[in-house]
Amino acid sequence: MGTSQSGPVHRFQDLAHKTGFSIEEIKTLNTRFLYLTQDEDTLRREHLANVSDLALNPIRRQIIEAFFDKRNMGEKERGCLQEIGFEEFVTVLSFFRPPKPHTADEEMKNIKKEKLRFLFNMHDTDNDGIITLDEYRCVVEELLSSYEIIGAETAKAITDAAMLEVANVTVGQMAPDEFYEGITFEQFMQILKDVEIETKMNIHFWNLDTMTVQCGK
Amino acid sequence: MASSIYFCLLRTVFLVCFVNPLIQGLSGDVNLVKDHRDQLGNNLTGLPIVTFDWHHVQTPFQVIIWVFVAGLAKLSVIELNHHVINVIPESGLLIMMGFILGGIVWGADKAQTFKLLPPTFFFYLLPQIILDASYFMPNKLFFSNLGSILIYAIFGTCWNAATVGLSLWGCHEAGVMGNLDIGLLQFLLFGSLIAAVDPVAVIAVFEEVHVNEVLFILVFGESLLNDGVTVVLYNVFDAFVALGGPRIDAVEISKGIFSFVVVAFGGSFLGIVFAILLSLLTRCTKHIQIIEAGFIFVVGYLAYLTADMLSLSAILSVTFCGICCQKYVNANMDEKSVTTVRHAMKVLANGSETMIFVFLGVTAIDTEIWVWNTGFILLTLLFIFIYRIIGVFLLTLMLNKFRLVPIEFIDQVVMSYGGLRGAVAYGLAAMLDQDKIPEKNPILSTTLIVVYFTVILQGITMKPLVQWLKVKRAAHSDLKLIEKVNNRAFDHILAAVEDICGRIGDNWWTRGWNRFEENYISWLLMKPKARKNRDYLFSIFHKLNLEDAVNYVSEGERQGSLAFIRSDEAANVDFKKQFDSEFTDVMPDIMVDVSNYELGIEKFSVTSIIKDTIPSVSLDIHGQDRKNAMDDINANHLLQQHLYRSRKNHRHKYSRSDFGINQSENEVQEIFQRTMRSRLESFKTAKMGVSPAKKITKHHKKELTHKMANGHPEGTGHLYGDEENPVVFPDMDTSTHNSLPWLMETDAVAPSQRAQWHLPWTPNRLRRLAPMRISTYSTDSFLMADLEEHEEKPQTDHE
């Protein structure tokens, strides 16, 4: 344990460099990580399930999956991990980091693409690179699941209509025999190009209060 | 252009000349009245068949004449050469029109007999504008930016008032302004009334400019909320002026600060109370739907007057009343009432705005009030401009540290330039007491000049400035369904990530509030039926369905080929008998959720919600050849797939003798769900290629063209994307095309795309029923559509 003092600091610096968080933010996140995992080294799904407010969230399943999804770790592989370490935790959270105030346009585009990729991966559960009707319907159903009166049929109908729109916007003219498979990532980007993901999909990390973090939940 | 101006002038001259002798009859009116009565009483020699009695109708007549004249002014302004309109904003033109009118009146009377009196303005013209603004306020945007808005409103206004007042006083002391007898307190009073950004002017100018929504909401929200500060400052300084300098000490000043808290929060609270009252009212007005729309206006006005009575901020009261009640009122009221309120609100607000600007112009032509003090005026203009810029930039600097989305530099420039002063400032200035403030006239003159300057000059230059600076403009398209779904997903994702990070953040508050609101407030204020239907995505979908239905029918009417006739015998009764369960399942009694509609027995119009009433129809297929029964059935059920349905058919479906409207909500839901289910299955089979016999084709979106062709504004035109986008939908055999009853003629109506999903169910003989729209001339498309096999015709762009 002799290197334990400098070890974490190094780790943090590497992480800070890789993900763009500041050292303080990483430290705070580390505290939170340890709290969630109850001081173990790796985070598993059960740990996340313990977060009480998360239980009320309709799409928690997808979000939790997103944390364990290899694609979000920047790896080329597909599949899910069973447990993640702190690095992966921070990597996933870095998708929600607000861009620094004076980022160049090119980088903004990249950031936007990454965030969109994250969203796309969340929808595309079977990792085939296409969001099919069924996958999308799952999302819609879960979103609507908090209202009991909305039956499954309506969810389906809404999904259909949404898919139809996507087809309209992105694919254009299709030959009679063509089949609309699903939404590819390019189409996804095209649809959502007007939505300012880089500004909307952010949360502030700077005011994570360790005290709140510890006694919060 | 010239002719319309002349024409308008002629009209107004005529009116004014007509009115003037009547007005001049005012002098010595008392005697005249008596004379008239006496005449009737004593000198009556015979029965007067017709008498002319001006005094009887004098006051309302004058009021109405001026309203009418203002309306005519607006008409002529609109009719002007549109080059002029593009350059000068409408509000500026109205003011200039007011100058002309004022000139006419002055010329006729040698005195300005018409003035915009402060009570008229504050009681009769201002409340509806504020109510309109708050009723249509985008709440989510407003509340998410509320912190920034408050900072600008409170600190910005205080800063402006203080600096302008002090600087002017300093200059006065330095002798630049000549011999004005205005003390420090009076300067501060002037500063407070000139400092406030005016909501009317902001709406008028920014409406034509279309900047991005965050910028707009910041400026506009600030203009609404700063009334709280303005009222307080004005009253405080007014009282201080009355008290006199020596009596002001720390106690009084602290009372002033305390009064701000009371006035602002009291006004808002009062507004919320009235919003609750209004929501509860609309919850109970199911049986008086005819007049429930009126309640909005009455209660809104009550909120205004009550706050004014209690010397709280009236504008804040109305603002919060409108903001808080919109959701519940719209959910509770009948759709027709919602539309009524929307339109009436717009009429009133627009009318008032017009009148305000015209009367502002008219009031200027009055030699009595003008005291031109060059130094005062120029310095005022300079200072308000400079201090506004400084104030905005300083505050934004601070705010950007806390905001998630920083306010850009360019937006700040527009914000500072957009600090328009308007009629509120004039009203406050006109209310000054001449005795306490001997120099009321210079102040009034300066205020008027400032108002004209900002509205006209800044209004003219705003649009070019915005274009030159390349300010981010408002997005024009409606959000597509997928974007809305994604937005909803975002909120949840962000909330979840925050939970995981253990952060109590904005989303936590939003979620907490939403939960609280859903469970308690909605329970209290919304009708139970409305609560069930209030899911956001569902309502979007519902709206989309409605629009589809409207377009389908309107296109049918336009084409004139749909054999829409009233019929007492519903084909589907037979239909049902012939092809029972399979088709029953498939055959949708699709209906928009009509539980909220008040249906008359004879007329059912979905489109009355959106358009004019169209009569209830049913497809009469009894007259058709029964050999074509299959097609007829298909046609019929195709028609029925639309979201529009004859009520009579529906009635027959469930009971021959029951005349009732859909009484059971469950029934409607069930219908709806059945429809959706069937649609999905068709879509699924089509898409997934489960039944190989069916092909999927893409067809051009005819709804879009329908909408365009109907002269609808683009409104929902972008719902599905751009014009050239085809629609996924199943194809059918060609041969049945000609046998379809209403497709006999070549022009026919295309069913909505959703309906067409259903078509794979039908036997192969049924041809694709949606002809493609290939050009903006609707006749072409239907002609061409199904006569050949090629599915994809070249699609033309259309606007």
Side-chain angles (χ1 to χ4, degrees), chain A residues 32 53-54 56-58 63 67 119 122 136 143-144 147 149 153-154 156-157 160 164-166 168 172-174 176 179 191 197 200 204 207-208, chain B residues 404 480-483 490 492 494 496 499-503 508 515 532 535 541 673 676 680 687-689 696 698 720 725-726 753 757 792 795:
Chain A
R32 177 66 182 171
D53 274 346
L54 206 55
L56 296 164
N57 196 315
I63 298 173
F67 273 88
L119 282 179
M122 240 181 65
Y136 201 60
L143 278 178
L144 295 176
Y147 298 97
I149 199 73
E153 294 94 22
T154 321
K156 286 174 193 169
D160 296 341
L164 211 61
E165 274 177 17
V166 175
N168 294 342
Q173 190 76 45
M174 252 172 57
F179 214 35
I191 299 162
I197 301 274
K200 277 197 181 168
H204 276 192
N207 61 352
L208 285 179
Chain B
L404 196 53
K480 312 182 198 41
L481 189 59
I482 197 169
E483 285 179 11
F490 273 166
H492 287 302
L494 288 178
D499 286 335
I500 293 179
C501 295
R503 177 178 178 262
W508 189 87
R515 223 173 295 152
K532 282 193 217 163
D535 177 58
F541 191 54
Q673 285 173 359
M676 295 302 138
L680 173 71
K687 264 195 47 159
M688 303 306 164
I696 304 178
K698 297 262 184 144
Y720 298 109
N725 301 320
Q753 75 208 35
W757 297 356
E792 48 285 356
Q795 279 148 17

Coordinates of all heavy atoms in Angstrom, one line a residue, chain A residues 32 53-54 56-58 63 67 119 122 136 143-144 147 149 153-154 156-157 160 164-166 168 172-174 176 179 191 197 200 204 207-208, chain B residues 404 480-483 490 492 494 496 499-503 508 515 532 535 541 673 676 680 687-689 696 698 720 725-726 753 757 792 795:
Chain A
R32 N -18.3 9.4 -4.5 CA -19.7 8.9 -4.8 C -19.6 7.4 -5.2 O -20.5 6.6 -4.8 CB -20.3 9.8 -5.9 CG -21.7 9.3 -6.4 CD -22.7 9.5 -5.3 NE -24.0 9.0 -5.7 CZ -25.0 8.9 -4.9 NH1 -24.9 9.2 -3.6 NH2 -26.2 8.4 -5.4
D53 N -34.2 7.0 -5.8 CA -34.9 7.8 -6.7 C -35.0 7.2 -8.1 O -35.9 7.4 -8.9 CB -34.3 9.2 -6.8 CG -34.9 10.1 -5.8 OD1 -35.9 9.7 -5.1 OD2 -34.4 11.2 -5.5
L54 N -33.9 6.4 -8.4 CA -33.8 5.8 -9.7 C -35.0 4.9 -10.0 O -35.4 4.6 -11.1 CB -32.5 5.1 -9.8 CG -31.9 4.9 -11.2 CD1 -31.8 6.3 -11.9 CD2 -30.6 4.2 -11.1
L56 N -38.0 5.3 -9.5 CA -39.1 6.0 -10.1 C -39.0 6.3 -11.5 O -39.9 6.8 -12.2 CB -39.4 7.2 -9.3 CG -39.8 7.0 -7.9 CD1 -39.7 8.2 -7.1 CD2 -41.2 6.4 -7.8
N57 N -37.8 6.1 -12.0 CA -37.5 6.6 -13.4 C -38.0 5.5 -14.4 O -37.6 4.4 -14.3 CB -36.0 6.8 -13.5 CG -35.7 7.6 -14.7 OD1 -36.2 7.4 -15.8 ND2 -34.8 8.6 -14.5
P58 N -38.8 5.9 -15.3 CA -39.3 4.9 -16.2 C -38.3 4.2 -17.1 O -38.5 3.0 -17.4 CB -40.3 5.6 -17.1 CG -40.2 7.0 -16.8 CD -39.4 7.2 -15.6
I63 N -30.9 3.0 -18.8 CA -29.8 3.8 -18.3 C -28.8 3.0 -17.6 O -27.6 3.1 -17.7 CB -30.4 4.9 -17.4 CG1 -31.3 5.8 -18.2 CG2 -29.3 5.8 -16.8 CD1 -32.0 6.8 -17.4
F67 N -24.6 2.0 -18.5 CA -23.3 2.0 -17.7 C -22.5 0.8 -18.0 O -21.3 0.8 -17.8 CB -23.6 2.2 -16.2 CG -23.8 3.6 -15.8 CD1 -25.0 4.2 -15.9 CD2 -22.7 4.3 -15.4 CE1 -25.2 5.5 -15.5 CE2 -22.8 5.6 -15.0 CZ -24.1 6.3 -15.1
L119 N -26.7 8.0 -26.8 CA -28.2 7.8 -26.9 C -28.6 6.7 -27.8 O -29.4 5.9 -27.5 CB -28.8 9.1 -27.4 CG -29.0 10.2 -26.4 CD1 -29.6 11.4 -27.1 CD2 -29.8 9.8 -25.2
M122 N -28.1 3.4 -26.3 CA -29.1 3.2 -25.3 C -30.3 2.6 -26.0 O -31.0 1.7 -25.4 CB -29.5 4.4 -24.6 CG -29.2 4.4 -23.1 SD -29.7 5.8 -22.3 CE -31.4 5.8 -22.6
Y136 N -37.3 0.3 -30.5 CA -37.8 1.7 -30.2 C -39.1 1.6 -29.4 O -39.3 2.4 -28.6 CB -38.0 2.4 -31.5 CG -38.1 3.9 -31.4 CD1 -37.0 4.6 -30.8 CD2 -39.2 4.6 -31.7 CE1 -37.0 5.9 -30.6 CE2 -39.2 6.0 -31.5 CZ -38.1 6.6 -31.0 OH -38.2 8.0 -30.8
L143 N -41.3 4.8 -21.5 CA -41.5 6.2 -21.3 C -43.0 6.4 -20.9 O -43.3 7.2 -20.0 CB -41.2 7.0 -22.5 CG -39.8 7.4 -22.8 CD1 -39.7 8.1 -24.0 CD2 -39.3 8.2 -21.6
L144 N -43.8 5.7 -21.5 CA -45.2 5.9 -21.2 C -45.7 5.0 -20.0 O -46.9 5.1 -19.6 CB -46.1 5.5 -22.4 CG -45.9 6.4 -23.6 CD1 -46.7 5.9 -24.8 CD2 -46.3 7.8 -23.3
Y147 N -48.0 6.0 -17.0 CA -49.4 6.3 -17.1 C -50.1 5.0 -17.5 O -50.0 4.5 -18.6 CB -49.7 7.3 -18.2 CG -49.0 8.6 -17.9 CD1 -47.7 8.9 -18.5 CD2 -49.6 9.6 -17.1 CE1 -47.1 10.1 -18.2 CE2 -48.9 10.8 -16.8 CZ -47.7 11.0 -17.4 OH -47.1 12.2 -17.1
I149 N -53.1 4.4 -18.1 CA -54.3 4.4 -19.0 C -53.8 4.2 -20.4 O -54.5 3.8 -21.3 CB -55.0 5.7 -18.9 CG1 -56.4 5.6 -19.5 CG2 -54.3 6.8 -19.6 CD1 -57.3 4.7 -18.7
E153 N -51.1 -0.7 -27.0 CA -51.4 -0.4 -28.4 C -51.1 1.0 -28.7 O -50.6 1.3 -29.8 CB -52.9 -0.6 -28.7 CG -53.4 -2.0 -28.5 CD -54.0 -2.2 -27.2 OE1 -54.4 -1.3 -26.5 OE2 -54.0 -3.4 -26.8
T154 N -51.3 1.9 -27.8 CA -51.0 3.3 -28.1 C -49.5 3.5 -28.2 O -49.0 4.2 -29.0 CB -51.5 4.2 -27.0 OG1 -52.8 3.7 -26.5 CG2 -51.6 5.6 -27.4
K156 N -47.5 1.4 -29.1 CA -47.1 0.9 -30.5 C -47.4 1.9 -31.5 O -46.6 2.1 -32.4 CB -47.9 -0.4 -30.7 CG -47.3 -1.6 -30.0 CD -48.2 -2.8 -30.2 CE -47.9 -3.9 -29.2 NZ -48.8 -5.0 -29.2
A157 N -48.6 2.4 -31.4 CA -49.0 3.4 -32.5 C -48.1 4.6 -32.5 O -47.7 5.0 -33.6 CB -50.4 3.8 -32.2
D160 N -44.9 3.5 -34.1 CA -45.0 3.4 -35.5 C -44.9 4.8 -36.2 O -44.2 5.0 -37.2 CB -46.4 2.8 -35.9 CG -46.5 1.4 -35.4 OD1 -45.5 0.8 -35.1 OD2 -47.6 1.0 -35.3
L164 N -42.1 6.1 -38.8 CA -42.6 6.6 -40.1 C -42.0 7.9 -40.4 O -41.5 8.2 -41.5 CB -44.1 6.7 -40.0 CG -44.8 6.5 -41.3 CD1 -44.5 5.1 -41.8 CD2 -46.3 6.7 -41.1
E165 N -42.0 8.7 -39.4 CA -41.3 10.0 -39.6 C -39.9 9.9 -39.9 O -39.4 10.6 -40.8 CB -41.4 10.8 -38.3 CG -42.7 11.6 -38.1 CD -42.7 12.2 -36.8 OE1 -41.6 12.4 -36.2 OE2 -43.8 12.6 -36.3
V166 N -39.2 9.0 -39.2 CA -37.8 8.9 -39.4 C -37.6 8.4 -40.9 O -36.7 8.9 -41.6 CB -37.2 7.8 -38.5 CG1 -35.8 7.6 -38.8 CG2 -37.4 8.3 -37.1
N168 N -39.5 8.9 -43.4 CA -39.7 10.0 -44.2 C -38.5 10.9 -44.4 O -38.1 11.4 -45.4 CB -40.8 10.9 -43.7 CG -42.1 10.2 -43.7 OD1 -42.2 9.2 -44.4 ND2 -43.0 10.7 -43.0
G172 N -36.0 9.0 -47.8 CA -36.4 9.5 -49.1 C -37.0 8.4 -49.9 O -37.7 7.6 -49.3
Q173 N -36.8 8.5 -51.1 CA -37.5 7.6 -52.0 C -37.0 6.2 -51.8 O -35.9 5.9 -51.9 CB -37.2 8.1 -53.4 CG -38.0 7.4 -54.5 CD -39.4 8.0 -54.5 OE1 -39.5 9.2 -54.4 NE2 -40.4 7.1 -54.6
M174 N -38.0 5.3 -51.7 CA -37.6 3.9 -51.6 C -38.2 3.1 -52.7 O -39.4 3.3 -53.0 CB -38.0 3.3 -50.2 CG -36.9 3.1 -49.3 SD -37.3 2.6 -47.6 CE -38.3 1.2 -47.9
P176 N -40.0 -0.1 -54.4 CA -41.1 -0.9 -53.9 C -40.7 -2.1 -53.1 O -41.4 -2.5 -52.2 CB -41.9 -1.3 -55.1 CG -41.4 -0.5 -56.2 CD -40.1 0.1 -55.9
F179 N -37.1 -2.4 -47.9 CA -37.6 -2.7 -46.6 C -37.0 -1.6 -45.7 O -35.9 -1.3 -45.8 CB -36.9 -4.0 -46.3 CG -37.7 -4.8 -45.5 CD1 -39.1 -4.8 -45.6 CD2 -37.2 -5.6 -44.6 CE1 -39.9 -5.6 -44.9 CE2 -37.9 -6.4 -43.8 CZ -39.3 -6.5 -43.9
I191 N -31.9 13.2 -37.8 CA -33.2 13.6 -37.2 C -32.9 14.6 -36.1 O -33.6 15.6 -36.0 CB -33.9 12.4 -36.6 CG1 -34.2 11.3 -37.6 CG2 -35.2 12.8 -35.9 CD1 -34.5 10.1 -37.0
I197 N -28.0 19.0 -28.8 CA -27.7 17.9 -27.8 C -26.5 18.4 -26.9 O -26.5 18.2 -25.7 CB -27.2 16.7 -28.5 CG1 -28.3 16.1 -29.4 CG2 -26.8 15.6 -27.5 CD1 -29.2 15.3 -28.7
K200 N -28.1 20.5 -24.3 CA -29.2 19.9 -23.5 C -28.7 18.7 -22.6 O -29.2 18.5 -21.5 CB -30.3 19.4 -24.4 CG -31.2 20.5 -24.8 CD -32.5 20.0 -25.3 CE -33.4 21.1 -25.7 NZ -34.5 20.6 -26.5
H204 N -24.5 19.5 -14.4 CA -23.4 20.2 -13.8 C -22.7 19.2 -12.9 O -23.4 18.5 -12.0 CB -23.9 21.3 -13.0 CG -24.1 22.5 -13.8 ND1 -24.3 23.8 -13.2 CD2 -24.0 22.7 -15.1 CE1 -24.4 24.7 -14.2 NE2 -24.3 24.1 -15.3
N207 N -21.0 21.1 -8.8 CA -21.5 21.3 -7.4 C -21.9 20.0 -6.7 O -22.9 20.0 -6.0 CB -22.6 22.3 -7.4 CG -23.8 21.9 -8.2 OD1 -23.7 20.8 -8.9 ND2 -24.9 22.6 -8.1
L208 N -21.2 19.0 -7.0 CA -21.5 17.8 -6.3 C -20.9 17.9 -4.9 O -19.7 18.1 -4.8 CB -20.8 16.6 -7.0 CG -21.5 16.1 -8.2 CD1 -20.6 14.9 -8.8 CD2 -22.9 15.6 -8.0
Chain B
L404 N -26.2 26.8 -17.3 CA -25.7 25.7 -18.0 C -25.4 26.0 -19.4 O -24.5 25.6 -20.0 CB -26.8 24.6 -18.0 CG -26.4 23.2 -18.3 CD1 -25.2 22.8 -17.5 CD2 -27.6 22.3 -18.1
K480 N -40.7 17.1 -34.5 CA -41.3 15.8 -34.9 C -41.6 14.9 -33.7 O -41.0 15.1 -32.7 CB -40.4 15.1 -35.9 CG -39.8 16.0 -37.0 CD -38.9 15.1 -37.8 CE -37.9 15.9 -38.7 NZ -37.2 17.0 -38.2
L481 N -42.4 13.9 -34.0 CA -42.7 13.1 -32.9 C -41.5 12.4 -32.3 O -41.4 12.3 -31.0 CB -43.7 12.0 -33.4 CG -44.3 11.1 -32.3 CD1 -45.1 11.9 -31.4 CD2 -45.2 10.1 -33.0
I482 N -40.6 12.1 -33.1 CA -39.4 11.4 -32.6 C -38.6 12.3 -31.7 O -38.0 11.9 -30.7 CB -38.6 10.8 -33.7 CG1 -37.6 9.7 -33.1 CG2 -37.8 11.8 -34.4 CD1 -37.0 8.9 -34.1
E483 N -38.6 13.6 -32.1 CA -37.8 14.5 -31.2 C -38.5 14.7 -29.9 O -37.9 14.8 -28.9 CB -37.7 15.9 -31.9 CG -36.7 15.9 -33.1 CD -36.7 17.2 -33.7 OE1 -37.2 18.2 -33.2 OE2 -36.0 17.3 -34.8
F490 N -34.7 12.3 -22.7 CA -33.6 13.1 -22.2 C -33.9 13.4 -20.7 O -33.0 13.3 -19.9 CB -33.5 14.5 -22.8 CG -32.7 14.5 -24.0 CD1 -32.8 15.6 -24.8 CD2 -31.9 13.5 -24.3 CE1 -32.1 15.7 -26.0 CE2 -31.2 13.5 -25.5 CZ -31.3 14.6 -26.3
H492 N -35.6 12.1 -18.6 CA -35.5 11.0 -17.7 C -34.0 10.6 -17.5 O -33.5 10.3 -16.4 CB -36.3 9.8 -18.2 CG -37.7 10.0 -18.0 ND1 -38.3 10.2 -16.7 CD2 -38.8 10.0 -18.9 CE1 -39.6 10.4 -16.9 NE2 -39.9 10.2 -18.2
L494 N -31.3 12.4 -17.9 CA -30.6 13.4 -17.1 C -30.9 13.2 -15.6 O -30.1 13.3 -14.7 CB -30.9 14.8 -17.5 CG -30.3 15.2 -18.9 CD1 -30.7 16.6 -19.2 CD2 -28.8 15.1 -18.8
A496 N -31.9 10.5 -14.2 CA -31.3 9.3 -13.7 C -29.8 9.5 -13.4 O -29.2 9.1 -12.4 CB -31.5 8.2 -14.7
D499 N -29.3 11.3 -10.3 CA -29.5 10.4 -9.2 C -28.2 9.6 -8.9 O -27.8 9.4 -7.8 CB -30.6 9.4 -9.4 CG -32.0 10.2 -9.3 OD1 -32.0 11.2 -8.7 OD2 -32.9 9.7 -10.0
I500 N -27.7 9.1 -10.0 CA -26.5 8.2 -9.8 C -25.4 9.0 -9.2 O -24.6 8.5 -8.4 CB -26.2 7.5 -11.1 CG1 -27.3 6.6 -11.5 CG2 -24.8 6.8 -11.0 CD1 -27.0 5.9 -12.8
C501 N -25.3 10.2 -9.7 CA -24.2 11.1 -9.2 C -24.5 11.6 -7.8 O -23.7 12.3 -7.2 CB -23.9 12.2 -10.1 SG -23.3 11.7 -11.7
G502 N -25.7 11.4 -7.4 CA -26.1 11.9 -6.1 C -26.2 13.4 -6.0 O -26.0 14.0 -5.0
R503 N -26.5 14.0 -7.1 CA -26.6 15.4 -7.1 C -28.0 15.9 -7.0 O -28.9 15.5 -7.7 CB -26.0 16.0 -8.4 CG -26.1 17.4 -8.5 CD -25.4 17.9 -9.8 NE -25.6 19.3 -9.8 CZ -26.5 19.9 -10.5 NH1 -27.4 19.2 -11.2 NH2 -26.6 21.3 -10.5
W508 N -33.6 17.4 -10.3 CA -34.2 16.8 -9.1 C -35.4 17.7 -8.7 O -36.5 17.2 -8.4 CB -33.2 16.8 -8.0 CG -33.6 16.1 -6.8 CD1 -33.5 14.8 -6.5 CD2 -34.3 16.7 -5.6 NE1 -34.0 14.5 -5.3 CE2 -34.5 15.6 -4.7 CE3 -34.7 17.9 -5.3 CZ2 -35.1 15.8 -3.5 CZ3 -35.3 18.1 -4.1 CH2 -35.5 17.1 -3.2
R515 N -43.7 15.6 -9.8 CA -44.4 14.5 -9.1 C -45.5 15.1 -8.2 O -46.6 14.7 -8.1 CB -43.4 13.7 -8.3 CG -43.6 12.2 -8.4 CD -42.5 11.5 -7.7 NE -41.3 11.6 -8.4 CZ -40.1 11.5 -7.8 NH1 -40.0 11.3 -6.5 NH2 -39.0 11.7 -8.4
K532 N -56.6 11.9 -17.0 CA -56.2 10.6 -17.7 C -55.5 10.9 -19.0 O -54.7 10.1 -19.4 CB -57.4 9.7 -17.9 CG -57.9 9.1 -16.6 CD -58.9 8.0 -16.9 CE -60.0 7.9 -15.9 NZ -61.1 7.2 -16.3
D535 N -51.2 12.7 -20.7 CA -49.8 12.4 -21.0 C -49.4 13.1 -22.2 O -50.1 13.3 -23.2 CB -49.7 10.9 -21.3 CG -48.3 10.5 -21.7 OD1 -47.4 10.8 -20.9 OD2 -48.1 10.0 -22.8
F541 N -49.7 12.7 -30.0 CA -50.2 11.7 -31.0 C -51.6 12.0 -31.3 O -52.0 12.0 -32.5 CB -50.1 10.3 -30.3 CG -50.3 9.2 -31.2 CD1 -49.5 9.1 -32.4 CD2 -51.2 8.2 -31.0 CE1 -49.7 8.1 -33.3 CE2 -51.4 7.2 -31.8 CZ -50.6 7.1 -33.0
Q673 N -58.0 2.0 -29.0 CA -56.9 1.0 -28.8 C -57.0 -0.1 -29.8 O -56.0 -0.5 -30.3 CB -57.0 0.4 -27.4 CG -56.5 1.4 -26.4 CD -56.7 0.9 -25.0 OE1 -57.3 -0.1 -24.8 NE2 -56.3 1.7 -24.0
M676 N -55.5 1.2 -32.9 CA -54.0 1.3 -32.8 C -53.4 -0.1 -33.0 O -52.4 -0.3 -33.6 CB -53.6 1.9 -31.5 CG -54.0 3.3 -31.4 SD -53.4 4.3 -32.7 CE -54.8 5.3 -33.1
L680 N -50.9 -1.3 -35.9 CA -49.6 -1.7 -35.7 C -49.4 -3.0 -36.4 O -48.3 -3.3 -37.0 CB -49.4 -1.9 -34.2 CG -48.0 -2.6 -34.0 CD1 -46.9 -1.6 -34.3 CD2 -47.8 -3.1 -32.6
K687 N -43.8 -4.0 -42.6 CA -42.4 -3.7 -42.4 C -41.6 -5.0 -42.3 O -40.5 -5.1 -42.9 CB -42.2 -2.9 -41.2 CG -42.1 -1.4 -41.5 CD -41.6 -0.7 -40.3 CE -40.4 -1.4 -39.8 NZ -39.5 -0.6 -39.0
M688 N -42.0 -5.9 -41.5 CA -41.2 -7.0 -41.3 C -41.3 -8.1 -42.3 O -40.7 -9.1 -42.3 CB -41.6 -7.6 -39.9 CG -41.5 -6.7 -38.8 SD -39.9 -5.9 -38.7 CE -40.2 -4.5 -37.7
G689 N -42.2 -7.7 -43.3 CA -42.3 -8.7 -44.4 C -42.8 -10.0 -44.0 O -42.5 -11.0 -44.6
I696 N -44.0 -3.1 -49.6 CA -44.0 -1.8 -49.0 C -43.6 -0.8 -50.1 O -42.6 -1.0 -50.8 CB -43.0 -1.7 -47.9 CG1 -43.4 -2.8 -46.9 CG2 -43.1 -0.4 -47.2 CD1 -42.4 -2.9 -45.8
K698 N -43.1 3.4 -50.8 CA -43.0 4.7 -50.2 C -43.9 5.6 -51.1 O -43.8 5.6 -52.3 CB -41.6 5.2 -50.2 CG -40.8 4.3 -49.3 CD -40.6 5.0 -48.0 CE -39.7 4.2 -47.1 NZ -38.9 5.0 -46.3
Y720 N -43.9 16.0 -40.4 CA -43.3 14.7 -40.8 C -42.0 15.0 -41.6 O -41.5 14.1 -42.2 CB -44.3 14.0 -41.7 CG -45.5 13.6 -40.9 CD1 -46.7 14.2 -41.1 CD2 -45.4 12.7 -39.8 CE1 -47.8 13.9 -40.4 CE2 -46.5 12.4 -39.1 CZ -47.7 13.0 -39.4 OH -48.8 12.7 -38.6
N725 N -40.6 13.9 -48.7 CA -40.5 12.6 -48.0 C -41.6 11.7 -48.3 O -42.7 12.0 -48.2 CB -40.4 12.8 -46.5 CG -39.3 13.7 -46.2 OD1 -38.3 13.5 -46.9 ND2 -39.5 14.6 -45.4
P726 N -41.2 10.6 -48.6 CA -42.3 9.5 -48.9 C -42.7 8.9 -47.6 O -42.2 9.1 -46.6 CB -41.5 8.5 -49.8 CG -40.1 8.7 -49.3 CD -39.9 10.1 -48.9
Q753 N -52.0 8.5 -44.2 CA -51.0 7.4 -44.3 C -51.2 6.3 -43.3 O -50.9 5.2 -43.5 CB -49.6 8.0 -44.1 CG -49.3 8.3 -42.7 CD -48.4 9.4 -42.6 OE1 -48.4 10.3 -43.4 NE2 -47.6 9.4 -41.6
W757 N -51.8 1.9 -43.7 CA -51.1 0.8 -43.2 C -52.0 -0.4 -43.1 O -51.5 -1.5 -43.1 CB -50.6 1.1 -41.8 CG -49.7 2.2 -41.7 CD1 -49.1 2.9 -42.7 CD2 -49.2 2.7 -40.5 NE1 -48.3 3.9 -42.2 CE2 -48.3 3.8 -40.8 CE3 -49.3 2.4 -39.1 CZ2 -47.7 4.5 -39.8 CZ3 -48.7 3.1 -38.2 CH2 -47.8 4.1 -38.6
E792 N -43.1 5.0 -57.8 CA -42.5 6.3 -57.5 C -42.5 7.2 -58.7 O -41.8 7.0 -59.7 CB -41.1 6.1 -57.0 CG -40.1 5.2 -57.8 CD -40.4 3.7 -57.5 OE1 -41.3 3.4 -56.7 OE2 -39.8 2.9 -58.2
Q795 N -41.1 13.3 -57.7 CA -41.8 14.1 -56.8 C -41.3 15.5 -56.9 O -40.1 15.8 -56.9 CB -41.6 13.6 -55.4 CG -42.6 12.5 -55.2 CD -42.1 11.5 -54.2 OE1 -41.2 11.7 -53.5 NE2 -42.7 10.3 -54.3

